[in-house]
Amino acid sequence: MSTPIPNFIADAWQASAATEVLEVTDPAKAETIARVPLSSAAEVDLAVQAAAEAFPEWRRTPVTDRVQFLLKLKHEMESHFEELARSITIECGKTLAESRGEMRRAIENVETAAGAPALLQGQFSEDIASGIDELMIRQPLGVCACICPFNFPGMIPFWFMPYALACGNTYVVKPSERTPLTMQLIAGLIARTGLPKGVFNLVNGGREAVDALLDHPLVKAVSFVGSTPVAKHVYARAAANGKRAQCQGGAKNPLLVLPDADPESTTRIVADSGFGCAGQRCLAGSLVVTVGKARSWFTESIREAAASRVVGNGLDEQVQMGPVITSQSKARIEGLIGQAVNEGAKPLVDGRDPKIAGYERGYFVRPTILDEMNPNGDVVRTEIFGPVLGLIHVNTVDDAIAFVNRGAYGNMACIFTTSGASARKFRYEAEVGNVGVNIGVAAPMAFFPFSGARESFFGDLHGQGRHAIEFFTQTKVVIERWPKEWSRRF
Ligand code: NAD
């Protein structure tokens, strides 16, 4: 049995003393590729203490010097780009093209955070009263941490960590215990930048490590991305302990197809949204709401797109869709397909239990289309997190928007139309954080906040861009009076 992967604490790789160790599997082959320790609260404490010790010196380091480490990290990530992309595909299952896209967005966040000298600038007002000036400065918080999901192991830490460091905070990352390997590589790259000891730390673990971060008095802010029940737990516990928190949760993203939409591009984009990353994206399309006459052409064209998608090992460049993450996920997804059918849906394309040549043991579910989803059933409200598109048919755009706003989640909604007026109405009325207009995965660029609303987000400031700069800084307002009479004393 292989040695469990280490933690990275105070600029050193440290073997965990954890008694509980999980296997990390390559989901395409169902083979163990590593073992991950579930670190204890004491090990989390070591990482937090290392970060706390590094903080005073790091916050005093000029921001122009701090961002030099980010620029070196960008260079390291570019130089190891293919290795990082392969690592994501092997531990997570997505295709190499998808993994490359993921790493590109991670690097874009490093680039955006490297603009911190300008982003961190404060404000100054002269003579707010006679002879009195007022200024606002941004200062770092201290030790900050992020808790990550399995589905973007190389990108999601970068929604937060580069900004936190650029702002002068020190950091602890807790990767998903299902996909911890890409962050091992990245920690190695960070070590090569010469970042001072303790500024960045990585602790592997699960629930105990998360709760230890949430309870640790030296941790000032927590960023979480994962399922909604855990997001709520993290948000509540962090708040109860007086910490800042930003918690991104699950999703059930509706895509509206209007009768005037362009059939070819709409079908292609919707299929990529629903089946890309095997549906394991928080911005994956999950329900397609066709309006009026869109029903007939769209139902036929999406059936063909689902049936013809090439499924296999993501390392094969020809493959368009890889496996789901674990055998439990596969069983859960297939169970939900069955439940939807029991609730009245018609399986136009049924991807359950496929045979993928050469990968018979892998955790594959083929693209699935469930027509006529029961709008009053449970599955229509449940995040499936697999390659399953449910179809719902309504008569008007108003009905479709009302459907979007009845859903509990608010991560993303998209509209496909050639009508500017319909698109504008949708943009105005849809109660979601990320909106796509003829776009199937409305993933904000690094310089925009990765938004989300209702059951998909708990907090106010999001990851990425200016929101991250605000989240990772404490504003301080100074009001100054310097009467000129005093200068006569010298
Ligand atoms: P998850 O909630 O199971 O796990 C996320 C993290 O929480 C992991 O690090 C895990 O160790 C920890 N965790 C799990 N259970 C816990 C508990 N009871 N107490 C404390 N910590 C716990 O999520 P996942 O399955 O890894 O990721 C998939 C989910 O993430 C989906 O719901 C998806 O929609 C969501 N997601 C959301 C976004 C977004 O931006 N809104 C982005 C990516 C993924």
Side-chain angles (χ1 to χ4, degrees):
M1 261 198 300
S2 63
T3 316
I5 58 172
N7 296 326
F8 184 78
I9 298 175
D11 206 26
W13 291 104
Q14 302 194 7
S16 166
T19 47
E20 209 179 332
V21 175
L22 301 181
E23 296 194 344
V24 182
T25 52
D26 172 343
K29 297 181 180 164
E31 281 173 5
T32 301
I33 49 175
R35 298 170 71 235
V36 60
L38 298 189
S39 302
S40 64
E43 288 172 314
V44 168
D45 180 54
L46 286 179
V48 174
Q49 296 290 353
E53 233 168 86
F55 177 64
E57 187 66 29
W58 184 242
R59 75 158 285 194
R60 282 190 175 78
T61 304
V63 62
T64 44
D65 292 347
R66 290 198 299 253
V67 300
Q68 297 310 315
F69 293 99
L70 294 181
L71 296 174
K72 284 185 199 156
L73 178 58
K74 169 184 158 60
H75 173 74
E76 292 292 341
M77 290 168 81
E78 296 283 9
S79 308
H80 294 81
F81 192 84
E82 279 301 307
E83 187 189 349
L84 292 166
R86 270 184 83 80
S87 166
I88 294 171
T89 293
I90 291 169
E91 67 175 337
C92 194
K94 63 183 70 171
T95 67
L96 270 177
E98 290 164 345
S99 298
R100 290 180 187 123
E102 173 173 346
M103 278 326 299
R104 184 50 55 201
R105 182 56 49 85
I107 291 171
E108 285 165 5
N109 272 289
V110 176
E111 293 164 352
T112 304
L119 293 168
L120 269 175
Q121 281 179 324
Q123 296 169 354
F124 191 102
S125 295
E126 219 173 34
D127 285 326
I128 50 137
S130 183
I132 298 180
D133 305 329
E134 182 162 345
L135 61 132
M136 190 276 286
I137 51 181
R138 292 191 172 280
Q139 297 190 326
L141 307 174
V143 180
C144 304
C146 74
I147 299 153
C148 306
F150 79 82
N151 62 332
F152 283 91
M155 176 185 76
I156 284 179
F158 285 85
W159 288 354
F160 315 109
M161 183 258 290
Y163 302 95
L165 299 187
C167 290
N169 302 282
T170 53
Y171 215 70
V172 180
V173 172
K174 205 294 285 173
S176 166
E177 61 275 41
R178 282 180 277 174
T179 53
L181 301 179
T182 306
M183 271 314 288
Q184 290 273 301
L185 293 176
I186 289 171
L189 299 181
I190 291 174
R192 290 164 65 116
T193 65
L195 190 72
K197 176 177 161 182
V199 171
F200 167 86
N201 306 272
L202 179 154
V203 180
N204 290 293
R207 190 183 178 148
E208 183 182 345
V210 171
D211 288 345
L213 285 168
L214 297 174
D215 292 344
H216 202 297
L218 290 176
V219 174
K220 302 297 178 199
V222 175
S223 305
F224 171 87
V225 183
S227 59
T228 291
V230 185
K232 283 183 175 168
H233 162 73
V234 170
Y235 193 57
R237 194 146 165 173
N241 287 321
K243 302 184 196 317
R244 288 188 182 193
Q246 47 180 191
C247 300
Q248 316 238 165
K252 183 84 180 173
N253 303 309
L255 312 177
L256 275 52
V257 179
L258 270 53
D260 60 8
D262 175 61
E264 188 279 322
S265 64
T266 298
T267 306
R268 179 169 37 80
I269 296 169
V270 169
D272 284 345
S273 175
F275 309 136
C277 298
Q280 299 174 119
R281 258 194 302 229
C282 67
L283 297 178
S286 180
L287 291 165
V288 181
V289 185
T290 65
V291 176
K293 289 187 175 141
R295 175 177 184 163
S296 56
W297 63 259
F298 181 80
T299 305
E300 185 48 31
S301 64
I302 197 70
R303 193 189 64 71
E304 282 170 26
S308 61
R309 205 153 186 99
V310 182
V311 179
N313 185 339
L315 288 179
D316 175 351
E317 298 274 4
Q318 312 307 315
V319 159
Q320 295 173 304
M321 195 184 97
V324 299
I325 189 69
T326 56
S327 58
Q328 292 91 326
S329 281
K330 173 176 158 71
R332 181 177 168 279
I333 294 162
E334 293 181 342
L336 284 166
I337 296 171
Q339 188 182 336
V341 172
N342 289 340
E343 289 177 358
K346 299 190 171 59
L348 278 190
V349 184
D350 189 341
R352 285 176 286 185
D353 215 11
K355 299 285 165 278
I356 306 297
Y359 300 99
E360 287 75 7
R361 295 177 56 236
Y363 312 135
F364 290 94
V365 181
R366 281 195 59 86
T368 296
I369 304 286
L370 297 170
D371 196 14
E372 296 182 38
M373 289 287 287
N374 180 348
N376 301 313
D378 283 334
V379 182
V380 84
R381 290 190 293 272
T382 306
E383 180 178 43
I384 297 178
F385 225 53
V388 182
L389 274 175
L391 309 189
I392 300 252
H393 310 289
V394 301
N395 292 325
T396 66
V397 176
D398 283 317
D399 293 344
I401 295 176
F403 177 83
V404 169
N405 292 344
R406 266 202 308 278
Y409 294 106
N411 215 34
M412 180 189 80
C414 302
I415 189 168
F416 293 83
T417 181
T418 49
S419 153
S422 299
R424 184 176 188 281
K425 177 183 171 66
F426 178 72
R427 187 184 73 195
Y428 198 86
E429 294 180 9
E431 293 169 12
V432 299
N434 303 291
V435 168
V437 176
N438 298 315
I439 297 286
V441 180
M445 293 293 285
F447 34 88
F448 283 96
F450 195 104
S451 201
R454 300 190 282 148
E455 290 285 292
S456 297
F457 182 73
F458 306 94
D460 39 21
L461 294 167
H462 297 86
Q464 299 196 147
R466 288 178 192 280
H467 271 221
I469 297 285
E470 287 204 28
F471 183 78
F472 289 115
T473 50
Q474 171 68 52
T475 52
K476 185 182 273 182
V477 174
V478 183
I479 304 177
E480 295 184 345
R481 171 188 277 132
W482 296 104
K484 70 171 180 284
E485 307 83 70
W486 293 356
S487 58
R488 285 192 213 114
R489 293 179 187 174
F490 302 100

